[in-house]
Amino acid sequence: MTKQGKLIIFSAPSGAGKTTIVKHLLTKFPELEFSVSATTRPRRGDEENDKAYHFISKEEFLHLIAKKEFVEFEEVYSGTFYGTLRTEIERIWKKGKTVIFDIDVEGGLHLKRKYDGQAMAIFVQPPSLEVLKERLTARGTDSGEKLKERFIKAEKELNYAPRFDIILKNYDLQTACAEAEKLVKNFIANDCIA
Ligand code: 5GP
């Protein structure tokens, strides 16, 4: 059996900036490796298969659920599944690295419960719901009903912040990245949260 390691979970509503922060941390800490989730959503922009996500069909996803290959999974948006594969975490731990996640709020809380004592769970907080909506709209990756669905989910998710170990304010990206670096450094070096 693989020796268990540590996990760092970044969760937030879509558009709060967690992906940017996680990408920044990956450039700073060679001790970290990104957990590539599986998803049934189509590729977006320049996303590479097996780097941003494992892009798979719904049939394949359902098959993996049946085989109990997921540590957690969710229908994040209606008809669109996302999930963390057990093999992904084990692959990273085998290298002696810490797993870093970019995951939705419910998935993040699920992992926090499951790996209690090994995980640091961070909620990335945007300045306001209005700013979040502006960012999601400006991103231009979703429109119409899909965008509306992201807004509704985001509003609900903002209420989950207190359930995380840490709330990281992302009002200014540079400040948030610097703060995230401090948190990660401390957690890796001392097992210390905050
Ligand atoms: P997007 O479509 O914008 O890449 O992701 C939509 C949401 O799904 C984001 O909040 C993202 O963090 C989340 N997500 C990505 N991978 C996973 C996963 O493995 N499990 C869960 N529960 N959510 C995920």
Side-chain angles (χ1 to χ4, degrees):
M1 218 170 97
T2 315
K3 188 172 168 283
Q4 300 239 320
K6 293 190 225 178
L7 311 92
I8 299 176
I9 302 156
F10 276 83
S11 289
S14 216
K18 65 184 180 303
T19 306
T20 311
I21 295 171
V22 167
K23 279 188 179 158
H24 171 77
L25 291 169
L26 284 162
T27 67
K28 293 281 169 183
F29 295 93
E31 305 93 322
L32 299 180
E33 192 158 327
F34 182 61
S35 166
V36 180
S37 298
T39 184
T40 63
R41 88 146 158 73
R43 275 163 63 173
R44 201 160 68 193
D46 59 1
E47 286 177 332
E48 277 183 64
N49 189 27
D50 299 331
K51 284 215 171 135
Y53 285 104
H54 302 295
F55 293 99
I56 62 176
S57 66
K58 199 161 167 186
E59 290 65 38
E60 230 177 307
F61 202 101
L62 295 176
H63 182 62
L64 291 170
I65 295 176
K67 280 175 60 193
K68 301 202 183 322
E69 294 288 341
F70 288 109
V71 176
E72 66 76 38
F73 70 89
E74 243 186 284
E75 189 175 354
V76 174
Y77 300 110
S78 77
T80 310
F81 292 84
Y82 296 76
T84 305
L85 293 160
R86 189 179 312 282
T87 48
E88 189 64 14
I89 297 180
E90 283 173 4
R91 178 183 71 76
I92 297 169
W93 279 348
K94 245 185 216 156
K95 294 183 181 175
K97 293 192 177 194
T98 295
V99 192
I100 186 165
F101 298 87
D102 168 346
I103 191 169
D104 92 321
V105 169
E106 279 189 41
L109 289 173
H110 194 123
L111 289 180
K112 174 173 150 54
R113 276 195 303 273
K114 191 165 180 116
Y115 294 102
D116 188 33
Q118 292 163 260
M120 171 169 72
I122 299 172
F123 183 93
V124 180
Q125 185 152 59
S128 66
L129 182 63
E130 284 63 41
V131 172
L132 197 71
K133 284 182 174 176
E134 279 166 23
R135 285 186 194 167
L136 278 173
T137 310
R139 194 160 84 175
T141 48
D142 293 284
S143 58
E145 279 307 306
K146 283 232 156 69
L147 189 60
K148 214 161 117 193
E149 198 181 1
R150 282 188 188 251
F151 288 169
I152 292 167
K153 184 170 156 67
E155 190 164 6
K156 195 176 110 196
E157 286 183 328
L158 286 175
N159 299 319
Y160 285 73
R163 298 197 204 172
F164 284 76
D165 295 317
I166 290 154
I167 299 176
L168 176 66
K169 290 182 180 144
N170 183 15
Y171 298 0
D172 167 72
L173 187 59
Q174 238 179 335
T175 311
C177 284
E179 186 56 31
E181 274 185 51
K182 275 193 226 156
L183 293 167
V184 169
K185 199 169 170 188
N186 218 10
F187 183 66
I188 291 176
N190 314 313
D191 264 354
C192 178
I193 297 177

